Each structure stands twice: as C-alpha cells, then as structure tokens.
Amino acid sequence: MVEELDSFKIAQRQLDDAAEIMKLDKQAHQILREPMRTLVVNIPVRMDNGSTRLFNGFRVQYNNARGPGKGGIRYHPEENLNTVKALSAWMTWKTSLADIPYGGAKGGVICDPKKMSIRELEAVSRGYIRALKGYIGPDIDIPAPDVNTTPQIMGWMVDEYSKMEGYDAFSVITGKPLEVWGSEGRNDATGVGGMMVLREAAKTMKLDLKKAKIAIQGFGNVGMNAAFAARNMFGAKIVAISDSKGGIYSDKGIDIDKAAAVKAAGKELQEYGKVEEVTNKELLESDVDVLIPAAMENQIKKDNADRIKAKIVLELANGPVTPDADRILHDKGILDLPDFLVNGGGVVVSYFEWVQNKAGYYWELKEVEEKLDKIMSRSFRDLMQTRKEYKENGKDITARTSAYIIAVDRVSKTMKARGWY
Ligand code: GLU
C-alpha cells in the first residue's frame, strides 16, 4: 500500500489512534478532527519591477477551547492549506502538552523569500496582517515565526497591526526583535528547549551525551541553535549537519561556528572545507546516537525507518516522522520523541513574551531559561509516565501516542467544562 503523506490526514490518523486507546468521547473526537476556522486570503503586492503579484496565504485556527489561537507563519513556495491545517492541529497538542493557556493555530504564505527583495517581503508580511484584520489579536490568535519567517518580519507585522488598531499592540505577535519588546531567549528557544528534552531522555536511555554522536538535518534557525545548545550544554559532538541542498559529515565533529559562518556568508554548507559530503537521506541513516530532524515534514517514512541507527530521534521539525515509521522506530527500541513535545520550547517562550508584553514588565534571560526548563522537563516526565502506565496495563504505545493522550485529554476536558459537548 502506498503510504499516506498528506500531513492533515496523518494528523487525523494520529488523533484517531490516540482516541481509540484512551477511549475518547465520540463527540469530543468529532470536534477535534477538524479545524474550527480556516481562512484563505489573497494578498496583492506591488513588486519591484512595477507589476502586481497576488500571494496566496492561509491561517487555520484549529481549536481555541483552552485559549486564543497560537502558532507560527511559514513562508514557502510549496506551502499548502492541508499542511497548515495539520500544523495547526499539532500546535493545539503542543500548547496543551506544555500546559500553557492557548489553543492552536498556524499560518502560511506561498512565496519564496529567497527570490524576493526585502521591500517585497515587507509588503507581503504587512499585507498578510491586513488581510487577517479582525481574525487575529492579542486575545484571539497570536502569530509567531516559523519556516523562513524571522524576528524582523514579526517586527513589521506587529507594526502593521498596531497601526490598524491605533495603539501599540505588542502582544499580538511573538518572536519579535528585542527592540519591539520581544523576549530574551526567544530566538533560540526551540533549539534550547529541545536540548533540555534530550538531556532528560539521555538519562532515561543511559546515554552519555558528552560522548554521543549527533546528526542534525536542517541548519536553519532551529537546527543551528540546537547545535549550539548541544555543544554548550553537554559538549556533544555534532558529526553531521545539512540544509535543503545536502549535508556534511565528519567523525571528528563539525565546527559549528565555522558552519554557521559559512551559512551567514550566504554560501553552501559544502563550502565548509575538507569533510565528507552526504545527502539528506544518508544523513538520516548515519551511525549516530541521536538523530535530530530539524527541517520539513515526512523525512522518516515507511521505506527508510528500518535503516535509522540512532537510539534517540528528537523531532525538532514539525511532522518529520510518518505514523508507519513511528511504529517501526518504536518496535526497534528507538525512542522517537514527538515534535509537539520536543519543539515546544519556541511556543513556551512565546508565551513568556506575551505575558511580559501584557504586564509591561521584562525578565532576564536566566529567568526565561529556568521557567522553560521546568516546562520542558515536566512535559517529558508526563509523557514517560503515561507510556509507563499504559505499558503496565498491557498496551505498548509509542511516545507520540502517549503525548497525544495527555494533550487531547486536557483539551477535551476543557471543552466539556465549557459545555461544548
Ligand atoms: N512556529 C513555532 C512552532 O511551531 C512557534 C510557535 C509560536 O511561537 O507561537 O511551535
């Protein structure tokens, strides 16, 4: 049978699997299988050559039982509504598992920022916010950065929203530059939070991270910051990294500062120097202790899951492992920690940013990191505890299903308390 790779169908299947095991109420299940609101917008933008181009954008608000929608905006030439729907569902489970007072949402614009000027990028970003007037807001839905969207883009967006509303609504967007009241620690929060989870997972798996070999697929904001955090927190050896064009491998370890400098200079990773070149496929299958997919969806599938050698797969990307692959990894004894646990650090520090904006009172980095660590460690422990409890009752469920059970249970209990079913 051909494997299902439609992200939204995958998200629904993951929910269905959890619903069956946890015996979720049928009405709650019905509500949780579909997004509550789906917005499709077309944004006309005057390009540098004088012509006008129409950009197609989306915002999906999956569920707002536990609080306003929350989630990033992706800019990608292959963006599509179904993926954004899946990502908005995953945001709902992410905020619930972290136990922060939000629902889940996600946005996307079909565009290729690499082929646009700064002025065109700013025009698309401001246009997207104007198109969503009335549907986003500090207590309605709060966007943030994701694939190809930066703090600078968030700065333009918060400015556009504030101009429309006639006051400085800093809490409408998170992941902003510090100059417009972003939070300390937000920029590398996803990578750092992921490493806090890895630290806990390594204890469980009795893996010495000082001696561990790590491969990271994707060297964007998340992958790069994860590499720095792994080095700084554990002195771990990063043996392989990659970007969309391919990767590099060195048994001795990659010099992360040098690789970051190569990227910052606008060069390809292959220009790093005398190391082995690997494809993205080879990187996933390399002989490492920890594999960190930090790029796009559907990277570990039915056809390559069996060749994964890592002991821990740490999903920093959203949706990198398909349900079939998830089961294969689990049966091989690999601890595959799901995206909405591992990459939750971004939205957790987004929450801190929103709280600081609302209070008008700002925290030091140390305070942010301590609070983040508490949430990431607790979420990991909750997941492992749930998995253990099910195992004791004869059900050998994956780490992902365990995380689903916790997250779905919280959302459905809130819906029940609000009288939605
Ligand atoms: N885009 C990030 C994610 O997928 C962060 C979302 C946020 O900060 O709201 O979790």
Side-chain angles (χ1 to χ4, degrees):
M1 220 169 72
V2 185
E3 191 177 13
E4 177 64 69
L5 293 180
D6 177 301
S7 296
F8 187 53
K9 293 224 172 80
I10 288 178
Q12 285 183 318
R13 175 171 158 197
Q14 292 166 339
L15 171 69
D16 295 346
D17 287 348
E20 197 187 317
I21 291 164
M22 69 193 283
K23 300 194 174 56
L24 178 66
D25 178 279
K26 290 221 160 30
Q27 299 161 82
H29 188 187
Q30 180 189 334
I31 303 172
L32 294 176
R33 274 192 113 244
E34 296 292 337
M36 298 187 71
R37 187 191 265 160
T38 299
L39 301 157
V40 178
V41 296
N42 286 303
I43 312 153
V45 170
R46 180 67 58 86
M47 304 303 277
D48 290 351
N49 67 9
S51 70
T52 292
R53 220 182 107 185
L54 201 57
F55 287 87
N56 195 218
F58 317 103
R59 185 80 187 165
V60 182
Q61 295 162 347
Y62 199 79
N63 186 287
N64 61 1
R66 285 173 46 90
K70 186 86 195 80
I73 302 163
R74 309 201 311 176
Y75 284 0
H76 201 275
E78 272 136 52
E79 192 56 284
N80 64 79
L81 183 57
N82 261 12
T83 309
V84 179
K85 276 162 77 174
L87 290 159
S88 71
W90 292 330
M91 281 310 305
T92 307
W93 314 136
K94 198 180 297 185
T95 59
S96 176
L97 182 68
D99 211 3
I100 55 177
Y102 292 130
K106 199 80 176 199
V109 178
I110 304 175
C111 68
D112 189 352
K114 291 187 189 100
K115 295 189 181 136
M116 292 159 70
S117 70
I118 299 284
R119 196 203 61 81
E120 289 168 344
L121 201 58
E122 178 173 349
V124 168
S125 306
R126 290 186 183 272
Y128 179 74
I129 292 302
R130 282 196 305 277
L132 291 177
K133 183 170 168 44
Y135 296 103
I136 58 167
D139 296 299
I140 302 172
D141 177 8
I142 306 121
D146 203 284
V147 172
N148 289 330
T149 49
T150 57
Q152 173 61 78
I153 292 176
M154 301 304 117
W156 294 326
M157 287 182 167
V158 85
D159 183 68
E160 192 65 25
Y161 182 87
S162 296
K163 279 180 181 153
M164 280 192 311
E165 296 298 311
Y167 76 105
D168 283 333
F170 294 124
S171 58
V172 70
I173 306 266
T174 58
K176 303 179 295 290
L178 288 173
E179 295 80 0
V180 271
W181 307 109
S183 176
E184 292 290 348
R186 174 62 186 87
N187 200 38
D188 57 2
T190 307
V192 171
M195 291 310 116
M196 291 167 173
V197 172
L198 178 59
R199 184 195 61 214
E200 296 306 306
K203 285 186 210 156
T204 310
M205 299 290 281
K206 305 209 169 15
L207 180 72
D208 181 359
L209 285 171
K210 273 195 214 79
K211 295 190 190 125
K213 289 203 277 181
I214 302 183
I216 305 179
Q217 184 198 37
F219 206 60
N221 175 283
V222 172
M224 192 188 299
N225 282 312
F228 282 124
R231 187 193 62 191
N232 299 344
M233 284 166 68
F234 331 114
K237 202 171 10 162
I238 316 293
V239 293
I241 54 172
S242 69
D243 59 22
S244 55
K245 307 238 167 56
I248 50 176
Y249 182 96
S250 166
D251 235 358
K252 288 200 217 75
I254 305 281
D255 177 345
I256 300 301
D257 291 307
K258 189 173 158 195
V262 169
K263 287 297 276 184
K267 292 192 230 154
E268 307 295 334
L269 275 180
Q270 281 78 0
E271 294 177 58
Y272 171 92
K274 287 194 193 79
V275 282
E276 201 182 316
E277 284 188 23
V278 287
T279 62
N280 265 299
K281 197 170 157 287
E282 287 162 347
L283 178 138
L284 295 173
E285 296 169 14
S286 57
D287 193 4
V288 292
D289 302 293
V290 182
L291 173 63
I292 307 183
M296 298 297 277
E297 312 83 60
N298 297 336
Q299 299 302 305
I300 304 177
K301 300 183 277 196
K302 196 160 84 177
D303 57 7
N304 63 346
D306 208 32
R307 291 196 293 275
I308 303 298
K309 299 186 190 74
K311 296 181 187 69
I312 298 174
V313 175
L314 198 75
E315 299 181 16
L316 265 181
N318 285 310
V321 177
T322 65
D324 286 344
D326 197 13
R327 193 74 226 180
I328 297 171
L329 297 179
H330 179 84
D331 290 344
K332 272 165 68 91
I334 297 173
L335 182 62
D336 171 23
L337 291 169
D339 46 9
F340 68 92
L341 163 75
V342 173
N343 70 27
V347 74
V348 168
V349 179
S350 273
Y351 164 53
F352 297 159
E353 181 173 334
W354 181 78
V355 168
Q356 292 170 78
N357 289 153
K358 283 194 166 248
Y361 179 70
Y362 290 85
W363 313 345
E364 287 173 10
L365 179 61
K366 193 165 168 279
E367 192 173 349
V368 169
E369 282 180 350
E370 276 168 12
K371 287 191 162 78
L372 173 65
D373 205 339
K374 245 192 202 155
I375 294 184
M376 299 311 290
S377 314
R378 183 190 64 206
S379 303
F380 174 78
R381 279 197 307 272
D382 287 353
L383 182 159
M384 296 307 277
Q385 179 61 26
T386 299
R387 199 170 83 143
K388 190 167 149 242
E389 280 165 17
Y390 274 83
K391 191 147 198 186
E392 281 162 6
N393 286 313
K395 283 190 179 137
D396 182 23
I397 60 174
T398 63
R400 187 182 324 275
T401 300
S402 317
Y404 260 93
I405 290 173
I406 300 166
V408 170
D409 184 56
R410 280 192 189 133
V411 180
S412 49
K413 281 195 174 126
T414 305
M415 294 199 304
K416 181 82 185 161
R418 292 181 68 148
W420 290 12
Y421 71 95

